[in-house]
Amino acid sequence: MSILNNIFRLATVVLTVFVFSSCTKPSSDGYYHRELKENWQLQNSSLISGDGEKISSENYNADDWHTANVPTTVLNALVKEGVYKDIFKDDNLEKIPVGQFKKAWWFRTDFNIEKMPVNLLLHFEGINYKANIWLNGKLIADTAQVRNTFLQYKFDITEIAKEGKNILAVEVFPPVAGDFSIGFVDWNPAPPDHNMGIFRGVYLEANEGIEVFNPYVTTALNQSLTTARLTASVNIKNNTKQDQFGDVVLLFNGEKLIKPVEILSGETKKVLFTADDYDELILKNPKLWWPHTMGEPHLYKATFEYHDSGRPLDSKTISFGVRTVSDFFTKEGHRGFKVNGKKILIRGGGWVDKLLLDDTYESVKSQLEYVKDMNLNTVRLEGFWGNNQDIYTISDSLGILVMVGWSCHWEWEDYLGVPCDETYGGIQTPSDIDMMSKAWQDQIIWLRNHPSIFAWFGGSDCKAKPQLEKNYFDIFSEYDSTRVYLASAKEWSSLAGPTGVKMRGPYDYEPPVYWFVDTLYGGAFGFNTETGPGAQVPPLESMQKMLSANHLWPIDSMWNFHCGRNEFNTLKRYTTALEKRYGKATSVEDYTKKAQLLNYELMRPMFEAFSAYRYHATGVIQWMLNSAWPETYWQLYDYYLMPNGAYYGAKKASQPHHVIYDPSKHALYVVNDRLEDVKNCKVKIKVYDKNSILKFEKDISTNLLANAAKELYKLPEFNWNNNVCFLDLRLVDSKGHEIDNNFYWLSAKKDVLDYDAKLPTWYYHTPSKQYADFTALNHLPKASVSANISSKQKGEKRVFTVTLTNDSNKIAFFINVKIVDEKTGNSILPVLWSDNYISLLPGEQRVLTASINEKDLKNKTPKLVVKGYNEK
C-alpha cells in the first residue's frame, strides 16, 4: 500500500484527539502566559510622522491616537470609540470613507516587566495582513516575515525587552488583491477595512530557559470502547546557552509521569509518553466525548511541565476528550461519518463571525447554545473563524461537532481579485503554495486538540493543487492523523480520493416537497455540505433595528442592501413564494408575520427529509446558521440573536424522537435520533379541516429502533380538503407521556417543481411552476388563548414557565410567544424556548419554558407577549 493510502486511512482509522486550552496562570515569576489585551492605541499612518524606531520609543507622544483593545480590526476600534455610529442601519456601512483603510495603520501599546525572565517570547496568533513589528526602538520582524492572515508568529524578545516599561508598535498593512485573507464571499457586504488589524491575540510567554509548547494527546480505543490507550507528546526548546538535563513531567488523572531528557543548547525536542511505556496511559472504561445528541461530551485535563531538579521551568495545560471519528461510504458512494464507531446523521449550519470580527465569549456561547437548543449537532466553518479559540472550546464543552477548512473567498476572481483556476482556485504559484502550506500547518497545530473538530476541508468550491495537497498530507502525518480530510466541500476527486459529498444547492426558495422528491441536486440523499431554502426575513423588531422607518414599507432597495450578494441581492423569489402561498402583504407587520410562517414551513422539511431518509442521506448543513450583520438572508437567527420561524422549524424537525410527514408520499415516518431503542410507543394522528372539525383520527403502535427511521403509515387521501387542512401528530411513550408533537398545514393545491426551467446562471434553486395555496389561513375562525407565567432562578439563568390554554373550540394557529422588556417592548435576548410558533387544538393546554441569562434581565421588567395567527 502506498504512503499516500496509509496517510489517508486517517479517514477511517479510529484515533482520538484532545482539546487544547492555553495555560494562562502565572505560576511563578519565571514562567507565565500573559495576554496583551488592553491599553492599545491605533492611528492611520498618513496622519502621523516618525518611523517604527521613534513610534516604539518611550518618549513618543500618541495622545491623539484612537484607543482600543486587541484583538480588533481597525474599523471595529473606530466603531467602539464612536467615530462611526449605527453602521449597520440602512446603508450607513457604504458611507464610511474607504480611502483611509488603503494605508497602513499603527497599533501601539506598552507593557511592564517587573523582573526579566530567563526567556521571553512575543506571540501573535493572527495579523491581517502584513506587518512591521517594533519593540523598544528595534525592528523584530518586517513584512517579508509577517505577511499572511493565518500564519502565527512567535519571536524571542529576551535581548530587546527590559525590566520596567516596554513599547510595542505594529505597523499593519491591509490585504490587497491576491492576498489570502478573511472574506465573506456573497453572504454580505465586505467591511470597508477588509478586516485589517490584529484580529487575534498577542501574548507574552515567559519561561526559565526551557520552553514547553505544542502539547498533544491522542488515543486509540478498542472496538467495545472499554479501553483507551493514550499517547502524549510535547515539544521542548532549550533557550539557554548550556546543555540541560531534566525531566518532562505529565500530570494526568491523579498520576505523575516522569521522563528524563537531555536537551542541547538551542535544541528543540519532541518528547513522547506512550501506553507501551506507562501503564497509567491505559484507561479502563474511559468517559468518552460524545456529540450532545449521542451522549455526554466528557473532558479530561493534563499538564505538561519541564522540571530542573524538581523545579518547574515552564508548563502547559490541556483539556481533552476521548473520542474517535471515522467515515463510511454508502453503496451510492456518498460519505457519512461516525463518532466512537456509531453512525451520526450530521445536522448543522454554516457559521460566520461578526462582520467586524468582534465576537465575544458571551456572543459565541449564546449562539452555540442556540445550536444545541435546536438539536443540531454540527457547525461548518468555511474559513478558520474565531478571534480566539472560544468557538472550538465552547463546542467541546457543549458536544457540538465542527467542520473547519479554507474559504471559497480565495477560489473566485470576484473575491480574491486575481484570476483563479476553475479547479484549483487561487493558490497556484510555488511561493503561494509554500506560504499556505505553512498557514495550514499553523492552524492545524493551533486547533488539533479540540475533540469537537472532526473534519478538515482543504478547499470549499475547489480543491488544492496536487503539490499543495501533498504538503497537506505531510502536515497531517506529522501533526494530526486523527480526523477525516476532505479535499473540498464539493464533489471532487483528488489525491485523497473522492470527497463523497455534494454542493449542488439549492440556496434559494424551494417548497417542502423538494427535499423529499429531488434526486438530482440538493434533495435528501448523500451529504449536502451547504444548502437551504434561501432567505429568512426576521421578525418585525429586527427589521425595525436595521431599517429606518421610511424604508420599512414598501420593500425598497434598502431591503436589498440587507440581502446577500450577486444572485441573492433581492427578496423577489422569496416574496413571490410568500404571496403565492399566503397572500399579498399589506404592511411590514403583515409581511414579517407571514414571513415567519414561510420560514418555518420551508426549513422544517429540509431537516425532516434528511432525518427520515437516513442513512441514504448522511448529512445536511443549512446555509447558513447565522449572519455577520443584520440581514434577511440565510439565517436561523439574526445578528441581534433573534430566532426566526426557521429556527423553530429546524428545532422541531430535529427532535430526538419524532414523527414526520412526507408530502411526496403522503406518508408518516418515525425517527429515533438516539442510541437506545424506545419500545411500545404510539403515534396519534388527527386531521382537521379549516373550520377545526375533526375529519380523521387514528392511533398506531410502534417501536423506535436506535439511530434509525422507518416509514410507518400512508395517510388516506382527504377528498374533503378543498383548500387547507391541518395534520396533528403526537408521539407518546409506553407510559402515555407525550415525547413529540408535530403540526402541519396542508394545501389541496400542490407544489409543482419546474425542472425544465432555464436558469440564467447556475443551479442555485429549482423553480416552481405551481405553488401551494394557504390563503385560507387568513380567514380562519378566531381563537382565544390565555396564558400565565412564573419563573425561578437556575444557575446563571432564569427559567420562565408559560402555560398556554386554548379557551375556544377552534384551532389556535401558529402562536408566537416572547418575553419582552416592559419599558422598551423589545424581546430579551438571547432566549431558549422549549418550543415556539405552536398551534393548539380546541381546548388544549400546553406548557412551555424559556431560559434567559440573569445578566440579560438586569434593569429589565420581563413581560409575556402572546400573539397568534388567528387570535381574537
Side-chain angles (χ1 to χ4, degrees), residues 4-283:
L4 174 64
N5 286 336
N6 277 322
I7 290 174
F8 278 94
R9 290 186 65 192
L10 64 88
T12 52
V13 169
V14 179
L15 290 172
T16 303
V17 68
F18 293 65
V19 59
F20 174 84
S21 61
S22 61
C23 175
T24 57
K25 62 176 184 179
S27 301
S28 71
D29 290 337
Y31 69 91
Y32 54 82
H33 186 274
R34 172 181 161 195
E35 185 172 8
L36 300 180
K37 183 178 180 67
E38 299 177 342
N39 301 317
W40 285 80
Q41 297 168 292
L42 75 160
Q43 186 58 278
N44 189 325
S45 61
S46 63
L47 300 179
I48 59 178
S49 60
D51 58 12
E53 180 179 0
K54 183 178 180 181
I55 293 171
S56 64
S57 64
E58 220 174 314
N59 59 2
Y60 184 81
N61 186 351
D63 290 346
D64 60 345
W65 286 29
H66 305 285
T67 59
N69 289 339
V70 164
T72 188
T73 65
V74 172
L75 180 56
N76 179 52
L78 298 179
V79 170
K80 289 288 192 295
E81 197 179 53
V83 176
Y84 301 108
K85 297 180 174 65
D86 291 329
I87 67 168
F88 293 155
K89 191 90 168 186
D90 297 336
D91 60 353
N92 289 346
L93 191 69
E94 285 197 324
K95 298 174 183 177
I96 298 173
V98 298
Q100 61 186 317
F101 304 121
K102 298 184 184 300
K103 306 279 188 178
W105 280 68
W106 280 96
F107 287 70
R108 187 177 189 272
T109 191
D110 62 77
F111 58 89
N112 190 67
I113 299 177
E114 293 184 8
K115 180 182 179 181
M116 273 297 296
V118 176
N119 182 239
L120 185 63
L121 305 170
L122 179 63
H123 183 192
F124 290 84
E125 287 190 340
I127 297 174
N128 189 29
Y129 186 75
K130 298 179 181 179
N132 295 314
I133 302 173
W134 295 76
L135 178 65
N136 297 335
K138 304 290 185 181
L139 179 67
I140 62 175
D142 61 21
T143 56
Q145 299 164 271
V146 183
R147 55 182 302 268
N148 184 276
T149 306
F150 296 102
L151 285 170
Q152 300 198 352
Y153 309 96
K154 188 179 288 188
F155 307 104
D156 190 329
I157 59 171
T158 308
E159 301 300 320
I160 303 175
K162 60 184 181 179
E163 291 184 357
K165 189 175 183 179
N166 293 263
I167 308 296
L168 174 64
V170 185
E171 185 182 17
V172 177
F173 295 84
V176 297
D179 285 341
F180 305 111
S181 179
I182 298 161
F184 295 89
V185 199
D186 54 3
W187 314 333
N188 46 257
D193 67 343
H194 293 282
N195 293 132
M196 69 177 298
I198 304 175
F199 78 102
R200 284 181 177 158
V202 182
Y203 302 90
L204 293 177
E205 299 180 10
N207 61 76
E208 294 195 52
I210 305 294
E211 179 190 2
V212 174
F213 63 102
N214 289 353
Y216 185 42
V217 184
T218 64
T219 71
L221 281 168
N222 65 351
Q223 190 170 1
S224 63
L225 307 180
T226 57
T227 302
R229 295 175 63 86
L230 278 63
T231 300
S233 68
V234 70
N235 287 6
I236 59 173
K237 182 179 181 181
N238 183 355
N239 292 310
T240 72
K241 296 181 180 180
Q242 292 82 36
D243 299 346
Q244 300 289 333
F245 300 88
D247 298 316
V248 175
V249 176
L250 173 58
L251 304 172
F252 161 68
N253 210 25
E255 304 287 347
K256 183 177 182 178
L257 284 60
I258 299 174
K259 188 160 193 174
V261 295
E262 176 184 2
I263 182 167
L264 304 180
S265 174
E267 182 184 10
T268 297
K269 179 174 288 188
K270 183 177 180 179
V271 180
L272 283 173
F273 294 84
T274 70
D276 291 336
D277 297 327
Y278 299 89
D279 290 342
E280 297 89 342
L281 296 180
I282 302 174
L283 298 182

Side-chain angles (χ1 to χ4, degrees), residues 681-824:
C681 294
K682 187 175 290 185
V683 174
K684 295 177 174 290
I685 309 166
K686 291 182 178 180
V687 181
Y688 293 82
D689 69 9
K690 67 176 182 179
N691 295 312
S692 301
I693 297 172
L694 181 64
K695 291 291 187 177
F696 178 83
E697 185 174 13
K698 187 176 182 64
D699 292 356
I700 304 172
S701 297
T702 187
N703 295 321
L704 306 181
L705 299 181
N707 200 8
K710 69 176 180 180
E711 185 176 338
L712 180 70
Y713 178 69
K714 286 190 181 296
L715 291 165
E717 290 296 328
F718 305 136
N719 55 16
W720 45 266
N721 177 25
N722 57 9
N723 43 42
V724 171
C725 69
F726 300 108
L727 172 63
D728 181 78
L729 303 173
R730 308 291 169 111
L731 179 63
V732 298
D733 63 16
S734 59
K735 297 180 180 179
H737 298 145
E738 183 176 295
I739 58 176
D740 180 52
N741 59 72
N742 209 355
F743 189 86
Y744 296 86
W745 46 106
L746 306 179
S747 168
K749 185 179 180 183
K750 304 304 181 185
D751 287 296
V752 180
L753 294 162
D754 187 1
Y755 280 99
D756 296 325
K758 301 298 182 183
L759 293 181
T761 52
W762 51 293
Y763 46 76
Y764 61 86
H765 79 126
T766 299
S768 293
K769 55 185 175 182
Q770 178 173 295
Y771 293 82
D773 182 359
F774 294 110
T775 54
L777 295 174
N778 299 322
H779 310 289
L780 290 176
K782 300 299 183 182
S784 59
V785 175
S786 58
N788 62 62
I789 184 171
S790 62
S791 72
K792 63 179 180 180
Q793 187 171 351
K794 187 176 181 181
E796 296 180 349
K797 294 184 181 292
R798 178 159 294 276
V799 178
F800 295 83
T801 300
V802 176
T803 302
L804 299 177
T805 304
N806 184 354
D807 298 316
S808 64
N809 63 355
K810 305 298 181 183
I811 290 171
F813 181 63
F814 210 64
I815 304 166
N816 174 228
V817 287
K818 57 183 181 179
I819 295 174
V820 304
D821 178 14
E822 190 172 38
K823 297 175 185 177
T824 65

